[in-house]
Amino acid sequence: MSIILSIIVPIYNVEKYVIQCIDSLLAEKPNNVEIILVNDGSKDQSVHLVKTRFSAELATGQLILLEQENQGVSVARNTGLAHARGEYIGFVDADDLILHGYYAAILSAIHETQVDIVEIGWKTFAKDEELKYAAEHYVHLNFGLHSAKELLNEIFSASTWYPVIRFFKRELFAGKIFPVGVRFCEDMILIHELYCNSDKIYQIKKPLYAYRMNPAGATMSMSREYMKPLQDLYIALLPRKEFHIDLLKIAVFYVLYRCMQNTNSFSKLDNKIEKDLFAMRLRFWRYTSVGSRRFRIFMFPRISNFIYQFKQ
C-alpha cells in the first residue's frame, strides 16, 4: 500500500509525555500513514521508554525510529523528511497529542482536494482534564478550499507558524529544509516560503491537535543567539514588495524585540532593518491587522519597553 501521509515526530528529553503522544498517534492510525520518530540525542529515558513500550510496533514497522546526535529540532525534522515516503508531510511534537478523528479528517481532505496545504484547528492544555473544555483555535476563519493567494494576508497577519497544525504536499519541500543551526522561529523561516509557493489551501473546521503548554518547551525561553538568524531573515525579505511580506517583517521585528527584552540586551538593529522599519511606520495604517500588541511594539518599541520595565 502506498503511503499517503508521513508524520514526523522529533524526540528530545520528553520522557514525561512521549508514551502518551505515541499512544494517541497509534490509536486510529490507518495503514497508509507512517509515523517517523527521530531521536535527537535525548539524554533522558525517552527513547528507552519508546523501545520498551512499543517494541512490537517498531518490529512490524508501524513505528519507524531514527536516531542522531543532538542537533536541534530543525535537523531532526530534516532527518525525518529525508526518510519520509508519504505524498504529504505532517509534524507532531512529542509532548503533544492528536485528537479523535485526526487521520480520517486529514486523509479525506487530501483525497478530495489534492491541495498543497491542509490546515487544522487545535486546542491548548496544561493538564489532560482541561482538554475537554479547552477553546478551539484556528489560524484564520476561512474554512474549506481556498486559493492560497486570497489567504496570504490573513495567514501572515496572524503569524502563527506551527508546523504541527499543517500538512504539506511533499513537492513543496523540494530544495527546502528547516534552517540548520536555528533553534528559534525556525518554523516561520521555512513555512512562510511553503505558503508563498502553494496554490490551494484547505482548512478543516475541527480541532484535531492538542498543544501542551510545557514550561520546559523551546518557545518558553529566548536567547541573544536567536537574534542573528532573525535579522538575516528580515534582510533577506527586503527586496520583496508584497503586502504579506510586510506583515511577515513586522512579525520578525516583534520576535527580535521580544528577544532583546527577555535577555535585557537592547541594541540597534542593522541599518537596513532600521531604515525599512522607519519607511513602514510612515504607512502605519496599512498594518493594523497584525494585532494590537505587535502593532504597538512595531510603532513604539522604546515606549513599549519603558512600560515593560516599569511594570517589572
Side-chain angles (χ1 to χ4, degrees):
M1 176 178 291
S2 62
I3 301 298
I4 304 300
L5 177 62
S6 298
I7 302 294
I8 298 168
V9 188
I11 295 175
Y12 181 73
N13 292 357
V14 283
E15 61 184 9
K16 290 174 61 177
Y17 310 113
V18 66
I19 297 301
Q20 188 183 16
C21 173
I22 296 174
D23 277 339
S24 76
L25 284 163
L26 289 172
E28 300 175 358
K29 186 186 95 62
N31 290 332
N32 58 357
V33 173
E34 67 175 3
I35 300 172
I36 302 174
L37 312 174
V38 184
N39 174 27
D40 184 36
S42 291
K43 297 176 175 62
D44 66 359
Q45 294 297 304
S46 297
V47 175
H48 172 73
L49 291 171
V50 170
K51 290 179 178 179
T52 303
R53 174 68 176 271
F54 301 108
S55 58
E57 290 82 358
L58 289 165
T60 59
Q62 291 187 63
L63 293 173
I64 300 165
L65 176 62
L66 308 174
E67 302 203 54
Q68 64 180 39
E69 294 181 1
N70 177 239
Q71 299 175 72
V73 67
S74 286
V75 177
R77 288 174 179 157
N78 293 338
T79 297
L81 279 168
H83 288 81
R85 297 175 292 159
E87 297 175 23
Y88 285 77
I89 307 293
F91 302 90
V92 166
D93 289 342
D95 52 354
D96 296 339
L97 304 172
I98 66 168
L99 302 178
H100 173 68
Y102 176 91
Y103 296 116
I106 293 155
L107 291 172
S108 175
I110 289 172
H111 176 73
E112 292 174 9
T113 65
Q114 293 295 304
V115 291
D116 296 302
I117 300 174
V118 176
E119 303 167 324
I120 61 174
W122 73 97
K123 295 183 175 185
T124 61
F125 73 108
K127 299 179 180 179
D128 292 358
E129 56 267 26
E130 298 172 355
L131 260 180
K132 183 177 180 180
Y133 304 102
E136 301 178 9
H137 300 280
Y138 299 92
V139 174
H140 53 86
L141 297 178
N142 301 280
F143 301 105
L145 182 63
H146 292 273
S147 162
K149 289 183 179 179
E150 69 183 80
L151 296 184
L152 287 183
N153 289 347
E154 285 189 60
I155 292 167
F156 279 60
S157 177
S159 192
T160 302
W161 299 109
Y162 312 137
V164 295
I165 56 168
R166 298 170 164 97
F167 305 84
F168 305 94
K169 187 174 281 189
R170 185 188 186 89
E171 286 82 355
L172 288 176
F173 287 99
K176 298 185 185 301
I177 59 174
F178 285 91
V180 176
V182 178
R183 293 176 180 255
F184 189 74
C185 283
E186 71 285 342
D187 306 336
M188 177 168 61
I189 294 172
L190 173 67
I191 292 174
H192 88 269
E193 291 191 56
L194 305 184
Y195 269 95
C196 288
N197 293 329
S198 65
D199 182 40
K200 296 289 184 182
I201 296 170
Y202 188 96
Q203 183 172 215
I204 299 169
K205 191 178 181 180
K206 187 176 181 180
L208 296 170
Y209 193 89
Y211 180 88
R212 190 186 302 271
M213 303 302 291
N214 180 3
T219 58
M220 297 300 174
S221 60
M222 295 186 182
S223 169
R224 295 184 187 187
E225 69 186 27
Y226 299 154
M227 293 178 61
K228 185 181 186 308
L230 288 167
Q231 291 203 65
D232 290 344
L233 171 59
Y234 195 112
I235 291 170
L237 296 172
L238 289 175
R240 304 279 298 276
K241 303 303 179 185
E242 303 98 318
F243 180 65
H244 60 272
I245 296 299
D246 278 358
L247 299 174
L248 179 61
K249 288 189 293 186
I250 292 174
V252 175
F253 172 72
Y254 172 76
V255 181
L256 276 166
Y257 171 91
R258 291 291 308 279
C259 282
M260 290 187 288
Q261 185 180 71
N262 287 7
T263 59
N264 197 27
S265 57
F266 273 86
S267 58
K268 185 177 176 61
L269 299 175
D270 185 282
N271 286 336
K272 297 186 187 73
I273 297 176
E274 296 283 9
K275 183 178 179 181
D276 188 69
L277 286 167
F278 178 79
M280 289 174 62
R281 288 175 184 134
L282 295 178
R283 306 188 300 273
F284 68 89
W285 61 88
R286 302 182 65 200
Y287 307 119
T288 55
S289 64
V290 299
S292 58
R293 179 176 174 79
R294 267 183 288 148
F295 183 76
R296 183 179 71 249
I297 288 171
F298 160 64
M299 288 297 297
F300 311 109
R302 294 181 183 276
I303 295 175
S304 297
N305 185 53
F306 175 80
I307 294 171
Y308 172 81
Q309 296 295 338
F310 179 77
K311 288 181 177 179
Q312 293 296 101

